[in-house]
Amino acid sequence: MTDVPVDVKPVKVKASDHDTYGVATIISLLLPIVGIIMGVVYLTKDKAEDKKLGEHLIAISILASIVISFIWFSFVSSRTPSVIPISTLDSPSVNLTPTSPPWDIEAAYVKISKGMTRAAVEAVIKKPAANCARSEQSGSADQYASCSYGGAGDHGIIVINYVNDIVTSTEKSTY
């Protein structure tokens, strides 16, 4: 019988023993998604050295993602507008009142009726069209247009369809 030495300990495999350790680590730090993919690929290999490198790459990629996210959100939140200090609100140079009254979409909508001209509509509702889509006009065909009035600042929009600049239908949407 042969004697087996009792003092022999198994060799611990480290990720740094792999020949691509340095390059793969740098890639994982700079491009975490690529590092995670490389880590999964190395985990599927048979050698213990490859598996350790795969674990290392996934861990480094997750850590890099957290650090990059923290830096990104710190930068973005520092770019948001700051709040006006209370002391400046007492200053006569700060004007917080609106310069013109808001457009009353409900009152404007009830003033519109079928058969009105586009000029009459804009005079009654006191607002020009924000956007108009017109059809091509040929010598014998009618011209169709769909115009919108209002928008986000007005808390609603009125859409009016015209045929030869005469109101044919209206629609209102408030938000």
Side-chain angles (χ1 to χ4, degrees), residues 16-125:
S16 59
D17 294 339
H18 203 278
D19 56 342
T20 61
Y21 172 79
V23 174
T25 301
I26 291 172
I27 291 172
S28 295
L29 283 170
L30 298 177
L31 302 168
I33 190 74
V34 174
I36 289 173
I37 293 169
M38 287 173 36
V40 169
V41 168
Y42 277 111
L43 279 175
T44 62
K45 302 218 178 196
D46 292 332
K47 293 168 72 179
E49 215 174 67
D50 290 335
K51 290 185 184 297
K52 273 296 185 187
L53 182 63
E55 292 171 1
H56 170 77
L57 294 178
I58 290 174
I60 291 295
S61 297
I62 291 171
L63 179 66
S65 295
I66 292 169
V67 170
I68 290 169
S69 297
F70 178 75
I71 291 170
W72 172 259
F73 287 115
S74 295
F75 177 74
V76 169
S77 67
S78 70
R79 309 279 271 157
T80 57
S82 58
V83 177
I84 300 172
I86 298 290
S87 61
T88 60
L89 294 178
D90 298 332
S91 170
S93 64
V94 177
N95 183 10
L96 296 178
T97 58
T99 57
S100 62
W103 185 52
D104 186 358
I105 192 168
E106 300 292 336
Y109 187 71
V110 296
K111 295 177 184 176
I112 304 166
S113 60
K114 288 183 181 179
M116 290 177 74
T117 65
R118 180 176 170 187
V121 167
E122 291 180 0
V124 168
I125 66 173

Side-chain angles (χ1 to χ4, degrees), residues 102-103 105-106 150-157 173-175:
W103 185 52
I105 192 168
E106 300 292 336
D154 299 316
H155 302 291
I157 190 169
S173 177
T174 57
Y175 41 89

